[in-house]
Amino acid sequence: MPRGRPPRRTRAQVVAAAIAVADAEGLAALTMRRLATELDAGVMSLYTYVRDKDDLVDQMVDHVSAFPPAERPPGLLDLLRWQRALMLRHPWLPEALPNRRLTGENTLRFLEHGLAALAPTGLPGGTKMEILALLTGFVASYAGHELAQARAGITDPERIAAHVAQLRAAVAGGAYPELARVLAEAAPAAPPSFDAIAQRMINGLLAG
């Protein structure tokens, strides 16, 4: 019985090409037609590897989400640091994460790490899942802000100084006495680090 031609590429190669496009130009630039052009393939041939673009993005998220081996089980802050670094390497990730079907091997392993880190809390399973979702949302928002600042060429000290100047101008008329008092007391300061904010988030969620 004659056998069909073997696929010219593997699914991993197709997904890697999609990641390269998204890394360079953003998720909006990634279409099945554009991916076909990158691979020198027919558009319809791509559906041999993925069901549709949503499935492709699911595969992309899982492909980049391999948590590196560690000497000790990662804590929540370790996981959030890793997520932030991952999102800064792949700027399309914060946009891609909402409503994804995260059932790939790498994303499930990350979820397992998170639940293991929360195991000592004794919290119900549903609460643990909520905490992990909220923390991931925080990291996506934080990394998205960093990426937007980088694109605009704005540093945090510049942003803070400009914002404080605007606030002081706004309160000069006396309509906001409490805000004016706070601004008079405090000089512009460097923002807290990612680690500091992330730890506050963790502490607050676990305390609640």
Side-chain angles (χ1 to χ4, degrees), residues 2-3 8-9 14 16 21 26 28 31 34 40 53 59 63 66 70 99-100 107 123-124 176 180 185 187 189 194:
R3 303 174 66 181
R8 291 177 56 193
R9 297 167 184 83
V14 171
V21 172
T31 64
R34 171 63 187 282
D40 191 23
K53 185 177 176 181
Q59 299 285 338
H63 189 87
N99 303 315
R100 294 262 62 85
T107 45
L123 292 168
Y176 311 99
E185 292 173 358
F194 172 82

Side-chain angles (χ1 to χ4, degrees), residues 31-37 40-50:
T31 64
M32 300 303 275
R33 185 172 298 279
R34 171 63 187 282
L35 182 57
T37 300
D40 191 23
V43 174
M44 296 309 295
S45 71
L46 298 181
Y47 296 100
T48 305
Y49 307 96
V50 293

Side-chain angles (χ1 to χ4, degrees), residues 1-17:
M1 184 175 180
R3 303 174 66 181
R5 288 188 303 173
R8 291 177 56 193
R9 297 167 184 83
T10 65
R11 176 181 292 183
Q13 289 171 330
V14 171
V15 171

Side-chain angles (χ1 to χ4, degrees), residues 58 62 100-108:
D58 289 344
D62 193 66
R100 294 262 62 85
R101 295 168 294 206
L102 302 180
T103 57
E105 181 179 347
N106 288 326
T107 45
L108 290 177

